[in-house]
Amino acid sequence: MVDTLKIESVPISRRDSFNARDTRTRNLKPFNSGDIKILLLENVSAKAVDILKKAGYQVEFHTKALDKAELIEKIKDVHAVGIRSKTKLTEEVLSHANKLLTIGCFCIGTNQVDLNYAASRGICVFNSPFSNSRSVAELVIAEIILLSRQLGDRSREMHEGVWNKVSKACYEIRGKTLGIVGYGHIGTQLGVLAESLGMQVIWYDILPVMPIGMSRAADSLDELLAEADFVSLHVPETPETKDMIGEREISLMKKGAYLINASRGTVVEIDALAAALKSGHLGGAAVDVYPTEPLANGPGFESALRNCPNTLLTPHIGGSTEEAQRMIGIEVANAIVKYINSGASVNAVNFAECDLRAIPDTDLTTVRIVNVHQNVPGVLRQINNILADFNVNKQISDSKGDVAYFMADVTVNEHSEINTIYEQITAINENIITRVLF
Protein backbone atom coordinates (compact mmCIF):
# COMPACT_ATOMS: atom_id res chain seq x y z
CA MET A 1 0.00 0.00 0.00
CA VAL A 2 1.14 3.55 -0.67
CA ASP A 3 0.49 6.68 1.34
CA THR A 4 -2.32 8.97 0.20
CA LEU A 5 -1.05 11.94 -1.76
CA LYS A 6 -3.35 14.89 -2.37
CA ILE A 7 -2.78 16.28 -5.85
CA GLU A 8 -3.71 19.93 -6.33
CA SER A 9 -3.04 22.42 -9.08
CA VAL A 10 -1.36 25.48 -7.61
CA PRO A 11 0.18 28.35 -9.60
CA ILE A 12 3.93 28.63 -9.02
CA SER A 13 5.94 31.76 -9.69
CA ARG A 14 9.35 31.52 -11.29
CA ARG A 15 10.85 33.15 -8.20
CA ASP A 16 9.29 30.59 -5.87
CA SER A 17 10.63 27.66 -7.86
CA PHE A 18 14.10 29.12 -8.27
CA ASN A 19 14.84 30.53 -4.83
CA ALA A 20 16.56 27.70 -2.94
CA ARG A 21 16.83 29.88 0.17
CA ASP A 22 13.11 30.59 0.36
CA THR A 23 11.89 29.42 3.77
CA ARG A 24 8.54 28.55 2.18
CA THR A 25 9.69 25.19 0.92
CA ARG A 26 8.20 21.75 1.22
CA ASN A 27 9.70 19.28 3.65
CA LEU A 28 9.94 16.09 1.66
CA LYS A 29 9.54 12.67 3.22
CA PRO A 30 9.95 9.10 1.98
CA PHE A 31 7.08 7.64 -0.01
CA ASN A 32 6.01 4.02 0.33
CA SER A 33 8.87 3.09 2.66
CA GLY A 34 7.06 2.60 5.97
CA ASP A 35 8.44 3.90 9.24
CA ILE A 36 12.11 4.85 9.05
CA LYS A 37 14.23 2.94 11.57
CA ILE A 38 17.66 4.12 12.71
CA LEU A 39 20.25 2.02 14.56
CA LEU A 40 22.84 4.07 16.48
CA LEU A 41 25.85 2.33 18.03
CA GLU A 42 28.92 3.21 20.09
CA ASN A 43 27.36 5.98 22.16
CA VAL A 44 27.10 8.60 19.43
CA SER A 45 26.25 12.13 20.54
CA ALA A 46 22.91 12.73 22.27
CA LYS A 47 22.45 15.66 19.88
CA ALA A 48 22.40 13.22 16.96
CA VAL A 49 19.73 11.16 18.71
CA ASP A 50 17.62 14.29 19.22
CA ILE A 51 17.92 15.35 15.57
CA LEU A 52 16.91 11.92 14.26
CA LYS A 53 14.00 11.58 16.67
CA LYS A 54 12.74 15.07 15.80
CA ALA A 55 12.76 13.97 12.15
CA GLY A 56 10.14 11.41 13.14
CA TYR A 57 12.34 8.33 12.89
CA GLN A 58 12.35 5.32 15.19
CA VAL A 59 15.76 5.39 16.88
CA GLU A 60 17.41 2.43 18.59
CA PHE A 61 20.42 3.56 20.61
CA HIS A 62 23.30 1.48 21.98
CA THR A 63 26.27 2.72 24.01
CA LYS A 64 28.63 0.04 22.67
CA ALA A 65 29.41 -1.79 19.45
CA LEU A 66 27.50 -5.02 18.80
CA ASP A 67 29.11 -8.37 18.11
CA LYS A 68 28.88 -9.51 14.50
CA ALA A 69 25.98 -11.93 14.96
CA GLU A 70 23.82 -9.35 16.73
CA LEU A 71 24.82 -6.63 14.26
CA ILE A 72 23.78 -8.82 11.32
CA GLU A 73 20.41 -9.45 12.96
CA LYS A 74 19.80 -5.79 13.80
CA ILE A 75 20.87 -4.43 10.43
CA LYS A 76 18.31 -6.49 8.50
CA ASP A 77 15.43 -4.15 9.31
CA VAL A 78 16.91 -0.64 9.56
CA HIS A 79 17.10 2.17 7.01
CA ALA A 80 20.16 3.86 8.50
CA VAL A 81 22.94 2.88 10.88
CA GLY A 82 25.22 5.22 12.81
CA ILE A 83 28.64 4.02 14.00
CA ARG A 84 32.01 5.24 15.17
CA SER A 85 35.34 3.46 14.66
CA LYS A 86 34.82 0.07 16.34
CA THR A 87 31.89 -1.30 14.32
CA LYS A 88 33.02 -3.07 11.15
CA LEU A 89 30.49 -2.93 8.31
CA THR A 90 31.99 -5.52 6.01
CA GLU A 91 30.52 -7.07 2.88
CA GLU A 92 29.35 -9.99 4.98
CA VAL A 93 27.44 -7.72 7.36
CA LEU A 94 26.05 -5.39 4.67
CA SER A 95 24.81 -8.32 2.57
CA HIS A 96 22.10 -8.77 5.22
CA ALA A 97 21.03 -5.11 5.12
CA ASN A 98 17.78 -5.48 3.19
CA LYS A 99 16.47 -1.94 3.75
CA LEU A 100 19.61 0.05 4.47
CA LEU A 101 19.80 3.41 2.69
CA THR A 102 22.63 5.18 4.43
CA ILE A 103 25.47 4.78 6.92
CA GLY A 104 26.59 7.61 9.18
CA CYS A 105 30.18 7.39 10.41
CA PHE A 106 30.25 9.68 13.44
CA CYS A 107 34.01 10.16 13.09
CA ILE A 108 36.59 11.11 10.47
CA GLY A 109 37.62 7.68 9.16
CA THR A 110 35.52 5.38 7.00
CA ASN A 111 37.94 2.47 6.68
CA GLN A 112 35.63 0.45 8.97
CA VAL A 113 33.07 0.35 6.14
CA ASP A 114 33.37 -1.52 2.85
CA LEU A 115 32.66 1.59 0.81
CA ASN A 116 32.62 -0.02 -2.63
CA TYR A 117 30.28 -2.81 -1.61
CA ALA A 118 28.01 -0.31 0.15
CA ALA A 119 27.81 1.77 -3.02
CA SER A 120 27.02 -1.33 -5.10
CA ARG A 121 24.05 -1.92 -2.79
CA GLY A 122 22.90 1.71 -3.10
CA ILE A 123 23.97 2.58 0.44
CA CYS A 124 25.27 6.13 0.81
CA VAL A 125 28.00 6.71 3.43
CA PHE A 126 28.58 9.98 5.29
CA ASN A 127 31.27 10.99 7.77
CA SER A 128 32.46 14.11 9.56
CA PRO A 129 35.95 14.90 8.31
CA PHE A 130 36.32 18.35 9.90
CA SER A 131 34.29 18.62 13.10
CA ASN A 132 37.00 17.33 15.44
CA SER A 133 39.91 19.19 13.85
CA ARG A 134 40.32 21.63 16.73
CA SER A 135 40.22 18.87 19.35
CA VAL A 136 42.98 16.90 17.62
CA ALA A 137 45.10 20.01 17.10
CA GLU A 138 44.83 20.95 20.78
CA LEU A 139 45.81 17.42 21.86
CA VAL A 140 48.94 17.58 19.71
CA ILE A 141 49.91 20.97 21.17
CA ALA A 142 49.55 19.51 24.66
CA GLU A 143 51.69 16.52 23.67
CA ILE A 144 54.43 18.75 22.24
CA ILE A 145 54.73 20.52 25.59
CA LEU A 146 54.49 17.31 27.61
CA LEU A 147 57.20 15.63 25.53
CA SER A 148 59.57 18.60 25.59
CA ARG A 149 59.44 18.62 29.40
CA GLN A 150 59.27 14.82 29.86
CA LEU A 151 56.13 15.33 31.92
CA GLY A 152 54.74 11.88 31.23
CA ASP A 153 57.74 10.20 32.87
CA ARG A 154 57.88 12.72 35.75
CA SER A 155 54.18 12.18 36.52
CA ARG A 156 54.55 8.39 36.47
CA GLU A 157 57.57 8.59 38.77
CA MET A 158 55.73 10.77 41.27
CA HIS A 159 52.82 8.31 41.34
CA GLU A 160 55.39 5.62 42.12
CA GLY A 161 56.75 7.71 44.97
CA VAL A 162 59.94 8.79 43.18
CA TRP A 163 61.09 12.43 43.34
CA ASN A 164 63.22 13.09 40.21
CA LYS A 165 63.78 16.80 39.63
CA VAL A 166 65.82 17.17 36.42
CA SER A 167 66.31 19.72 33.68
CA LYS A 168 68.54 17.74 31.31
CA ALA A 169 66.92 17.26 27.87
CA CYS A 170 63.96 19.41 28.90
CA TYR A 171 63.22 22.34 26.61
CA GLU A 172 60.93 25.25 25.86
CA ILE A 173 59.05 24.84 22.59
CA ARG A 174 59.55 28.50 21.62
CA GLY A 175 61.83 28.69 18.62
CA LYS A 176 61.60 24.96 17.88
CA THR A 177 60.50 23.69 14.46
CA LEU A 178 57.29 21.72 14.06
CA GLY A 179 57.02 19.60 10.93
CA ILE A 180 53.45 18.77 9.92
CA VAL A 181 52.93 15.87 7.52
CA GLY A 182 49.52 16.37 5.92
CA TYR A 183 48.51 20.04 5.79
CA GLY A 184 44.74 19.64 5.78
CA HIS A 185 42.09 20.84 8.24
CA ILE A 186 43.88 19.50 11.32
CA GLY A 187 47.36 20.31 10.07
CA THR A 188 46.54 23.94 9.30
CA GLN A 189 44.88 24.50 12.68
CA LEU A 190 47.83 22.88 14.41
CA GLY A 191 50.19 25.18 12.54
CA VAL A 192 48.32 28.29 13.66
CA LEU A 193 48.34 27.18 17.30
CA ALA A 194 52.03 26.27 17.15
CA GLU A 195 53.01 29.64 15.68
CA SER A 196 51.10 31.41 18.46
CA LEU A 197 53.42 29.65 20.90
CA GLY A 198 56.52 30.82 19.07
CA MET A 199 57.26 27.70 17.02
CA GLN A 200 58.44 27.70 13.43
CA VAL A 201 56.18 25.60 11.19
CA ILE A 202 57.06 23.63 8.08
CA TRP A 203 54.77 21.16 6.37
CA TYR A 204 54.62 18.59 3.61
CA ASP A 205 51.58 17.57 1.58
CA ILE A 206 51.16 15.73 -1.71
CA LEU A 207 48.70 18.43 -2.85
CA PRO A 208 49.51 22.09 -3.47
CA VAL A 209 48.13 24.01 -0.48
CA MET A 210 48.13 27.69 0.44
CA PRO A 211 50.35 28.23 3.52
CA ILE A 212 48.81 29.91 6.54
CA GLY A 213 50.68 32.44 8.68
CA MET A 214 54.46 32.20 8.47
CA SER A 215 54.53 28.48 7.72
CA ARG A 216 56.29 27.14 4.65
CA ALA A 217 56.19 23.98 2.61
CA ALA A 218 59.03 21.49 2.56
CA ASP A 219 60.03 20.16 -0.85
CA SER A 220 59.92 16.57 0.33
CA LEU A 221 59.08 14.40 3.32
CA ASP A 222 62.78 13.66 3.77
CA GLU A 223 63.55 17.37 4.00
CA LEU A 224 60.89 17.88 6.65
CA LEU A 225 62.07 14.92 8.72
CA ALA A 226 65.65 16.19 8.70
CA GLU A 227 64.74 19.73 9.73
CA ALA A 228 61.94 19.38 12.30
CA ASP A 229 62.35 19.10 16.06
CA PHE A 230 58.81 17.73 16.31
CA VAL A 231 57.10 15.72 13.55
CA SER A 232 53.31 15.42 13.70
CA LEU A 233 51.44 13.12 11.30
CA HIS A 234 48.01 14.01 9.89
CA VAL A 235 47.43 11.80 6.86
CA PRO A 236 44.58 9.43 5.90
CA GLU A 237 44.86 5.65 5.81
CA THR A 238 45.65 4.71 2.22
CA PRO A 239 47.93 2.18 0.54
CA GLU A 240 50.40 5.04 0.00
CA THR A 241 50.53 6.00 3.69
CA LYS A 242 50.89 2.48 5.10
CA ASP A 243 54.20 2.32 7.01
CA MET A 244 55.22 5.68 5.57
CA ILE A 245 57.28 6.28 8.74
CA GLY A 246 59.60 3.32 9.19
CA GLU A 247 63.21 2.68 10.16
CA ARG A 248 64.60 4.66 7.22
CA GLU A 249 62.42 7.71 7.82
CA ILE A 250 63.08 7.71 11.58
CA SER A 251 66.83 7.57 10.90
CA LEU A 252 66.47 10.81 8.92
CA MET A 253 65.05 12.64 11.93
CA LYS A 254 67.28 14.70 14.21
CA LYS A 255 68.75 12.92 17.20
CA GLY A 256 66.50 13.80 20.10
CA ALA A 257 63.54 14.77 17.89
CA TYR A 258 59.97 13.80 18.75
CA LEU A 259 57.36 11.93 16.70
CA ILE A 260 53.60 12.38 17.16
CA ASN A 261 50.97 10.24 15.45
CA ALA A 262 47.31 11.20 15.82
CA SER A 263 46.30 10.17 12.31
CA ARG A 264 46.03 6.44 11.55
CA GLY A 265 47.66 3.46 13.24
CA THR A 266 49.02 1.96 10.04
CA VAL A 267 51.12 5.02 9.19
CA VAL A 268 54.01 4.24 11.58
CA GLU A 269 55.99 1.02 11.92
CA ILE A 270 55.60 0.47 15.65
CA ASP A 271 58.64 -1.78 16.11
CA ALA A 272 60.91 0.72 14.36
CA LEU A 273 59.58 3.54 16.54
CA ALA A 274 60.06 1.51 19.72
CA ALA A 275 63.65 0.71 18.75
CA ALA A 276 64.43 4.39 18.09
CA LEU A 277 62.99 5.39 21.48
CA LYS A 278 64.92 2.73 23.40
CA SER A 279 68.18 3.55 21.61
CA GLY A 280 67.82 7.25 22.38
CA HIS A 281 67.77 8.35 18.76
CA LEU A 282 64.35 9.90 19.35
CA GLY A 283 63.76 12.03 22.42
CA GLY A 284 60.15 10.89 22.77
CA ALA A 285 56.91 10.08 21.01
CA ALA A 286 53.15 10.50 21.44
CA VAL A 287 50.88 7.91 19.85
CA ASP A 288 47.08 8.00 19.83
CA VAL A 289 46.34 5.41 17.13
CA TYR A 290 47.52 1.83 16.57
CA PRO A 291 47.55 -0.80 13.80
CA THR A 292 45.05 -2.85 15.79
CA GLU A 293 42.90 -1.45 18.58
CA PRO A 294 40.73 -3.13 21.24
CA LEU A 295 37.00 -3.26 20.54
CA ALA A 296 36.09 -2.32 24.11
CA ASN A 297 37.52 -0.44 27.08
CA GLY A 298 39.38 -2.45 29.68
CA PRO A 299 42.65 -4.32 30.22
CA GLY A 300 44.53 -6.22 27.52
CA PHE A 301 46.20 -3.51 25.43
CA GLU A 302 49.56 -4.69 24.12
CA SER A 303 52.15 -2.69 22.21
CA ALA A 304 55.91 -2.61 21.75
CA LEU A 305 55.67 1.05 22.79
CA ARG A 306 54.65 0.28 26.36
CA ASN A 307 57.30 1.40 28.86
CA CYS A 308 59.39 3.16 26.22
CA PRO A 309 61.07 6.31 27.63
CA ASN A 310 59.23 9.64 27.35
CA THR A 311 56.39 8.02 25.39
CA LEU A 312 52.79 9.18 25.69
CA LEU A 313 50.23 6.52 24.77
CA THR A 314 46.55 7.49 24.53
CA PRO A 315 43.57 5.32 23.50
CA HIS A 316 42.51 7.01 20.23
CA ILE A 317 41.05 10.08 21.94
CA GLY A 318 42.17 12.78 19.52
CA GLY A 319 38.59 13.73 18.70
CA SER A 320 37.09 12.66 21.99
CA THR A 321 35.86 15.94 23.39
CA GLU A 322 32.30 16.95 24.20
CA GLU A 323 32.53 19.77 21.68
CA ALA A 324 33.81 17.59 18.84
CA GLN A 325 31.32 14.80 19.45
CA ARG A 326 28.44 17.27 19.53
CA MET A 327 29.50 18.87 16.24
CA ILE A 328 30.05 15.46 14.64
CA GLY A 329 26.60 14.40 15.84
CA ILE A 330 24.96 17.45 14.30
CA GLU A 331 26.80 17.16 10.98
CA VAL A 332 26.27 13.45 10.38
CA ALA A 333 22.69 13.31 11.72
CA ASN A 334 21.67 16.20 9.47
CA ALA A 335 23.31 14.49 6.49
CA ILE A 336 21.29 11.33 7.21
CA VAL A 337 18.04 13.30 7.47
CA LYS A 338 18.70 15.21 4.26
CA TYR A 339 19.57 12.06 2.35
CA ILE A 340 16.54 10.10 3.54
CA ASN A 341 14.07 12.98 3.20
CA SER A 342 15.33 14.87 0.16
CA GLY A 343 17.91 12.61 -1.51
CA ALA A 344 20.79 15.08 -1.05
CA SER A 345 24.13 13.24 -1.21
CA VAL A 346 26.35 16.29 -0.64
CA ASN A 347 29.52 15.33 1.28
CA ALA A 348 28.94 11.62 0.71
CA VAL A 349 32.07 9.48 0.82
CA ASN A 350 31.18 6.75 -1.69
CA PHE A 351 28.51 8.44 -3.83
CA ALA A 352 28.55 11.23 -6.36
CA GLU A 353 27.49 14.46 -4.65
CA CYS A 354 24.09 15.58 -5.93
CA ASP A 355 21.31 17.85 -4.75
CA LEU A 356 18.36 19.76 -6.16
CA ARG A 357 16.99 23.08 -5.01
CA ALA A 358 14.04 22.85 -2.67
CA ILE A 359 10.45 22.50 -3.85
CA PRO A 360 8.26 25.51 -2.89
CA ASP A 361 5.55 24.80 -0.35
CA THR A 362 3.00 26.13 -2.84
CA ASP A 363 3.83 23.31 -5.23
CA LEU A 364 1.78 20.28 -4.22
CA THR A 365 2.03 18.41 -7.51
CA THR A 366 5.77 17.69 -7.66
CA VAL A 367 7.40 14.49 -6.44
CA ARG A 368 11.12 13.75 -6.32
CA ILE A 369 12.51 10.63 -7.98
CA VAL A 370 15.78 9.36 -6.48
CA ASN A 371 17.57 6.53 -8.22
CA VAL A 372 20.83 4.64 -7.77
CA HIS A 373 21.91 2.50 -10.72
CA GLN A 374 24.88 0.77 -12.25
CA ASN A 375 27.03 3.23 -14.17
CA VAL A 376 26.71 1.74 -17.65
CA PRO A 377 25.62 3.28 -20.96
CA GLY A 378 21.92 3.51 -21.70
CA VAL A 379 20.42 3.74 -18.21
CA LEU A 380 19.78 7.49 -18.31
CA ARG A 381 18.12 7.08 -21.69
CA GLN A 382 15.76 4.49 -20.22
CA ILE A 383 14.92 6.70 -17.23
CA ASN A 384 14.34 9.77 -19.39
CA ASN A 385 12.13 7.75 -21.74
CA ILE A 386 9.98 6.81 -18.74
CA LEU A 387 9.78 10.46 -17.69
CA ALA A 388 9.19 11.75 -21.22
CA ASP A 389 5.42 12.00 -20.74
CA PHE A 390 5.78 14.09 -17.60
CA ASN A 391 6.91 17.61 -16.86
CA VAL A 392 10.42 17.30 -15.41
CA ASN A 393 11.04 20.50 -13.46
CA LYS A 394 14.70 19.80 -12.79
CA GLN A 395 17.09 16.87 -12.66
CA ILE A 396 20.71 16.02 -11.97
CA SER A 397 22.87 12.96 -12.47
CA ASP A 398 26.45 12.12 -11.62
CA SER A 399 28.54 9.02 -11.10
CA LYS A 400 31.39 7.77 -8.94
CA GLY A 401 33.09 4.60 -10.05
CA ASP A 402 30.63 1.86 -10.97
CA VAL A 403 27.59 3.55 -9.39
CA ALA A 404 25.55 6.49 -10.70
CA TYR A 405 23.08 8.71 -8.87
CA PHE A 406 20.04 10.39 -10.43
CA MET A 407 17.52 12.88 -9.02
CA ALA A 408 14.53 14.49 -10.73
CA ASP A 409 11.55 16.59 -9.65
CA VAL A 410 8.52 15.55 -11.68
CA THR A 411 5.00 16.99 -11.86
CA VAL A 412 2.24 14.39 -11.49
CA ASN A 413 -1.50 14.92 -11.86
CA GLU A 414 -2.83 11.58 -10.70
CA HIS A 415 -1.92 9.34 -7.78
CA SER A 416 -1.51 6.36 -10.09
CA GLU A 417 1.23 8.13 -12.05
CA ILE A 418 3.57 7.87 -9.06
CA ASN A 419 3.24 4.10 -9.04
CA THR A 420 3.74 3.97 -12.80
CA ILE A 421 7.01 5.90 -12.62
CA TYR A 422 8.26 3.89 -9.66
CA GLU A 423 7.45 0.50 -11.16
CA GLN A 424 8.92 1.28 -14.56
CA ILE A 425 12.22 2.63 -13.19
CA THR A 426 12.66 -0.24 -10.73
CA ALA A 427 12.13 -2.64 -13.64
CA ILE A 428 15.30 -1.38 -15.35
CA ASN A 429 17.90 -4.16 -15.16
CA GLU A 430 20.64 -1.85 -13.88
CA ASN A 431 18.44 -0.36 -11.14
CA ILE A 432 19.85 -0.66 -7.61
CA ILE A 433 17.47 1.47 -5.54
CA THR A 434 14.63 3.76 -6.56
CA ARG A 435 12.80 6.00 -4.09
CA VAL A 436 9.95 8.47 -4.43
CA LEU A 437 9.86 11.47 -2.08
CA PHE A 438 6.90 13.82 -1.76
Side-chain angles (χ1 to χ4, degrees):
M1 296 294 293
V2 296
D3 297 331
T4 300
L5 175 64
K6 186 177 181 182
I7 304 295
E8 297 180 5
S9 178
V10 180
I12 306 170
S13 70
R14 183 177 185 276
R15 176 178 175 80
D16 279 340
S17 62
F18 179 79
N19 190 353
R21 295 176 181 241
D22 195 335
T23 58
R24 299 166 298 163
T25 57
R26 272 173 50 197
N27 292 320
L28 298 177
K29 63 179 181 179
F31 179 76
N32 192 28
S33 61
D35 293 328
I36 298 297
K37 297 180 180 179
I38 313 291
L39 176 64
L40 296 180
L41 306 175
E42 302 184 60
N43 201 32
V44 302
S45 168
K47 186 63 178 178
V49 178
D50 291 341
I51 290 171
L52 295 169
K53 284 184 175 179
K54 286 179 181 178
Y57 306 152
Q58 299 179 35
V59 179
E60 181 178 344
F61 175 80
H62 295 263
T63 59
K64 298 181 180 180
L66 303 178
D67 62 51
K68 186 167 71 172
E70 188 175 5
L71 178 60
I72 287 174
E73 188 61 32
K74 292 282 188 184
I75 209 170
K76 290 178 180 179
D77 196 39
V78 298
H79 299 87
V81 59
I83 63 172
R84 294 177 71 184
S85 58
K86 293 179 181 177
T87 300
K88 308 301 179 185
L89 296 179
T90 61
E91 178 178 341
E92 179 186 2
V93 173
L94 293 176
S95 66
H96 296 272
N98 302 319
K99 300 180 180 179
L100 196 62
L101 299 174
T102 180
I103 297 168
C105 295
F106 288 80
C107 51
I108 292 179
T110 56
N111 54 299
Q112 69 275 41
V113 180
D114 189 329
L115 296 176
N116 291 332
Y117 182 75
S120 73
R121 293 287 301 271
I123 302 168
C124 189
V125 180
F126 296 97
N127 70 335
S128 180
F130 315 129
S131 294
N132 68 356
S133 300
R134 177 71 182 202
S135 295
V136 177
E138 287 187 2
L139 176 67
V140 172
I141 288 293
E143 291 172 335
I144 289 172
I145 297 173
L146 288 167
L147 290 172
S148 66
R149 299 294 299 273
Q150 301 179 14
L151 291 181
D153 286 357
R154 298 295 86 77
S155 177
R156 175 180 50 79
E157 291 163 353
M158 291 291 283
H159 280 284
E160 294 171 350
V162 177
W163 183 277
N164 186 22
K165 182 178 179 180
V166 297
S167 59
K168 183 179 180 180
C170 295
Y171 306 98
E172 294 181 355
I173 66 170
R174 178 179 52 178
K176 303 301 187 295
T177 299
L178 170 62
I180 301 172
V181 182
Y183 198 62
H185 290 268
I186 295 173
T188 52
Q189 288 208 35
L190 174 59
V192 171
L193 293 175
E195 284 193 347
S196 72
L197 293 171
M199 300 188 77
Q200 301 176 31
V201 177
I202 60 175
W203 50 268
Y204 174 74
D205 201 294
I206 60 173
L207 299 174
V209 185
M210 178 72 70
I212 295 177
M214 298 297 293
S215 69
R216 62 178 176 83
D219 291 333
S220 66
L221 176 60
D222 288 0
E223 177 187 321
L224 180 145
L225 294 173
E227 186 174 343
D229 299 299
F230 296 83
V231 175
S232 189
L233 307 175
H234 302 281
V235 297
E237 181 176 338
T238 67
E240 291 74 24
T241 62
K242 181 176 174 57
D243 295 333
M244 72 178 295
I245 303 297
E247 182 178 358
R248 173 190 170 276
E249 289 73 22
I250 292 173
S251 70
L252 296 176
M253 296 174 64
K254 292 180 178 180
K255 181 175 175 57
Y258 308 88
L259 180 65
I260 300 171
N261 185 19
S263 58
R264 286 292 175 260
T266 57
V267 173
V268 176
E269 291 184 13
I270 297 298
D271 289 341
L273 175 57
L277 290 165
K278 292 174 181 177
S279 70
H281 175 67
L282 291 185
V287 178
D288 187 49
V289 289
Y290 309 88
T292 58
E293 299 180 359
L295 295 178
N297 292 341
F301 172 71
E302 296 293 338
S303 173
L305 296 174
R306 289 180 58 189
N307 299 315
C308 285
N310 199 24
T311 301
L312 304 173
L313 303 181
T314 49
H316 203 153
I317 57 171
S320 295
T321 63
E322 295 287 349
E323 294 87 351
Q325 292 307 308
R326 183 178 185 276
M327 289 188 290
I328 289 171
I330 292 172
E331 181 179 1
V332 178
N334 280 328
I336 290 173
V337 172
K338 289 179 181 178
Y339 182 73
I340 291 176
N341 286 9
S342 70
S345 62
V346 177
N347 295 325
V349 178
N350 65 335
F351 264 36
E353 298 184 48
C354 295
D355 195 8
L356 291 175
R357 65 182 182 272
I359 301 172
D361 61 2
T362 53
D363 179 358
L364 303 180
T365 64
T366 296
V367 297
R368 178 163 294 176
I369 310 299
V370 176
N371 170 261
V372 185
H373 60 263
Q374 297 172 27
N375 184 26
V376 297
V379 179
L380 280 180
R381 181 177 66 248
Q382 295 180 71
I383 294 175
N384 284 317
N385 285 341
I386 293 169
L387 300 179
D389 294 331
F390 300 90
N391 180 36
V392 178
N393 299 319
K394 50 189 177 290
Q395 71 178 46
I396 186 172
S397 181
D398 200 355
S399 61
K400 187 171 186 177
D402 296 329
V403 176
Y405 193 52
F406 172 86
M407 300 171 67
D409 286 351
V410 181
T411 298
V412 295
N413 296 309
E414 300 291 340
H415 187 278
S416 60
E417 292 175 341
I418 301 173
N419 285 332
T420 299
I421 294 172
Y422 177 80
E423 291 170 358
Q424 290 182 355
I425 294 179
T426 55
I428 296 174
N429 289 334
E430 294 81 8
N431 174 74
I432 298 174
I433 286 180
T434 297
R435 298 192 291 140
V436 180
L437 309 174
F438 70 97

